[in-house]
């Protein structure tokens, strides 16, 4: 999957879109979209990066993310045997259903709180996780009713933490969204080859200094930092598929093995050999 400003196509009239057990652990997938997102993951301990909030979750996590809040995939870098369910709520859900039914005001308030990002815990997380794991098995009517039951559970819960003190405001204008989308698409297409800051700046019709200032302000990273993060995510995927360290290095665009090793450790906390051996030992461990 490409790193991008995610576009969720309304391929059905349903106000919901379920992603059953998507696996993106090999990607650094920093993205946002106009749909609200409810994420449940279990069997993993990793980084929770939503908007400006960065923390760690242990064992499992359940988070409701508001519209256009950028977030990292919750399984980024996970090598354990995990399960993930992702439920998107299209804007039509609030506009066509919640707004017209006063009986659902409690759920509407819950979705309004999603502007802060909400992490649930305790029994709420456990019960909601079980409901989400059933969704892909249900017929349309039961699927709809199960989602409403899920939202009612979350709306009534007091086992939650707001991830921001104020509603998160996405600072990207429409013009900036198109520019960032173009940059990410370029990285995805060209990461295996040499990429200079000058050519990416030219792609954006900016001078190199102006592009560097823009990119740092827009993403919080320098362009080289982000490019290295993306290449390392691809290198991890190759290592997990059996490639050796040198193959992973050169196949994902690094020109120096020593620089690859330093960059890999900076991003993951391990050198490539340690990462590969750790994963291999877990995979081959007897049950």
């Amino acid at each position: 999957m490409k790193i991008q400003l995610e576009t969720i196509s309304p391929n059905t009239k349903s106000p919901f879109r379920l992603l059953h057990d998507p696996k993106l652990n090999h990607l650094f997938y920093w993205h946002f979209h106009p749909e609200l997102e409810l994420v449940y993951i279990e069997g993993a301990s990793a980084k929770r990066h939503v908007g400006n909030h960065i923390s760690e979750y242990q064992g499992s996590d359940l988070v409701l993310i508001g519209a256009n809040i950028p977030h990292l995939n919750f399984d980024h870098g996970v090598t354990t045997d995990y399960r993930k369910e992702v439920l998107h709520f299209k804007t039509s859900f609030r506009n066509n259903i919640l707004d017209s039914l006063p009986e659902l005001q409690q759920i509407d308030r819950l979705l309004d709180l999603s502007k802060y990002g909400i992490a649930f815990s305790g029994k709420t997380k456990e019960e909601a996780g079980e409901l989400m794991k059933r969704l892909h098995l249900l017929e349309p009517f039961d699927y709809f009713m199960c989602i409403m039951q899920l939202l009612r559970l979350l709306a009534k819960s007091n086992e939650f933490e707001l991830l921001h003190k104020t509603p998160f405001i996405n600072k990207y204008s429409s013009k900036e969204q198109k520019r960032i989308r173009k940059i990410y698409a370029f990285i995805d297409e060209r990461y295996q080859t040499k990429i200079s800051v000058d050519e990416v700046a030219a792609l954006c019709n900016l001078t190199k200094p102006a592009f560097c200032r823009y990119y740092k302000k827009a993403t919080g990273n320098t362009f080289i930092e982000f490019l290295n993060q993306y290449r390392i995510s691809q290198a991890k995927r190759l290592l997990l598929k059996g490639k050796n360290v040198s193959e992973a290095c050169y196949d994902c665009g690094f020109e120096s093995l020593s620089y690859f090793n330093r960059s890999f450790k900076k991003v993951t906390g391990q050198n490539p050999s340690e990462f590969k051996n750790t994963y291999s030992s877990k995979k081959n461990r007897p049950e």
Side-chain angles (χ1 to χ4, degrees):
M1 182 175 288
K2 295 183 177 181
I3 289 198
Q4 59 184 341
L5 304 177
E6 188 175 13
T7 300
I8 298 173
S9 300
N11 52 3
T12 71
K13 292 183 179 180
S14 172
F16 313 117
R17 177 179 185 249
L18 178 68
L19 300 178
H20 169 56
D21 208 19
K23 301 294 188 183
L24 296 175
N25 54 318
H26 59 286
L27 288 182
F28 181 88
Y29 189 40
W30 179 248
H31 64 291
F32 65 87
H33 40 75
E35 293 77 12
L36 282 73
E37 179 171 307
L38 183 64
V39 182
Y40 176 72
I41 186 169
E42 66 179 20
S45 298
K47 181 183 293 184
R48 177 200 293 148
H49 189 174
V50 178
N52 295 324
H53 176 94
I54 302 176
S55 59
E56 302 284 333
Y57 68 87
Q58 298 293 325
S60 63
D61 206 17
L62 177 68
V63 178
L64 180 60
I65 303 167
N68 291 316
I69 299 181
H71 50 284
L72 183 65
N73 49 310
F74 284 62
D75 56 351
H76 172 58
V78 172
T79 57
T80 53
D81 185 17
Y82 68 97
R83 176 169 181 172
K84 187 172 70 169
E85 304 291 337
V86 179
L87 182 63
H88 291 132
F89 301 87
K90 300 176 185 176
T91 53
S92 61
F93 178 58
R94 294 191 77 176
N95 297 340
N96 299 341
I97 299 176
L98 295 187
D99 287 351
S100 62
L101 297 173
E103 293 84 359
L104 300 180
Q105 283 184 355
Q106 192 175 35
I107 293 175
D108 195 44
R109 285 196 297 270
L110 167 73
L111 299 190
D112 200 47
L113 277 180
S114 70
K115 297 174 184 176
Y116 297 81
I118 312 173
F120 294 91
S121 58
K123 290 288 290 183
T124 301
K125 178 172 68 172
E126 180 181 334
E127 292 176 14
E130 290 304 312
L131 288 173
M132 290 188 71
K133 289 190 291 186
R134 289 176 48 206
L135 287 174
H136 74 286
L137 300 171
L138 301 177
E139 295 296 324
F141 180 82
D142 294 326
Y143 172 77
F144 181 88
M145 295 306 295
C146 188
I147 291 175
M148 299 307 294
Q149 181 184 353
L150 172 65
L151 290 173
R152 182 173 183 269
L153 170 67
L154 300 181
K156 294 179 66 176
S157 174
N158 58 9
E159 297 177 303
F160 67 86
E161 169 196 2
L162 297 181
L163 301 182
H164 296 90
K165 292 182 179 180
T166 58
F168 184 90
I169 305 299
N170 191 321
K171 58 185 178 294
Y172 291 118
S173 66
S174 177
K175 181 180 178 180
E176 288 174 324
Q177 289 181 24
K178 291 178 181 178
R179 178 179 282 171
I180 292 289
R181 191 192 306 273
K182 183 185 293 187
I183 294 169
Y184 288 172
F186 180 81
I187 293 172
D188 188 76
E189 182 180 349
R190 289 279 310 280
Y191 74 91
Q192 294 175 300
T193 64
K194 185 175 181 178
I195 297 176
S196 71
V197 177
D198 295 274
E199 61 182 321
V200 184
L203 182 73
C204 300
N205 296 315
L206 295 171
T207 65
K208 181 177 177 180
F211 171 76
C212 290
R213 290 192 299 271
Y214 161 77
Y215 197 85
K216 177 71 173 180
K217 182 179 179 181
T219 68
N221 292 308
T222 68
F223 175 75
I224 296 302
E225 286 172 341
F226 187 84
L227 178 60
N228 283 345
Q229 287 176 334
Y230 184 67
R231 283 174 165 165
I232 293 302
S233 72
Q234 297 296 329
K236 288 165 66 176
R237 177 178 59 84
L238 295 176
L239 290 170
L240 298 181
K241 286 187 171 182
K243 295 275 190 178
N244 63 41
V245 173
S246 293
E247 289 172 326
C249 167
Y250 297 115
D251 285 355
C252 64
F254 286 94
E255 298 180 318
S256 161
L257 192 57
S258 60
Y259 182 64
F260 170 66
N261 286 329
R262 289 197 306 273
S263 300
F264 196 101
K265 188 162 188 177
K266 183 178 180 180
V267 171
T268 69
Q270 295 178 297
N271 65 45
S273 297
E274 290 171 340
F275 173 82
K276 186 176 177 68
N277 291 337
T278 298
Y279 176 78
S280 297
S281 63
K282 287 179 179 178
K283 185 170 67 172
N284 298 324
R285 187 181 300 158
E287 298 294 332

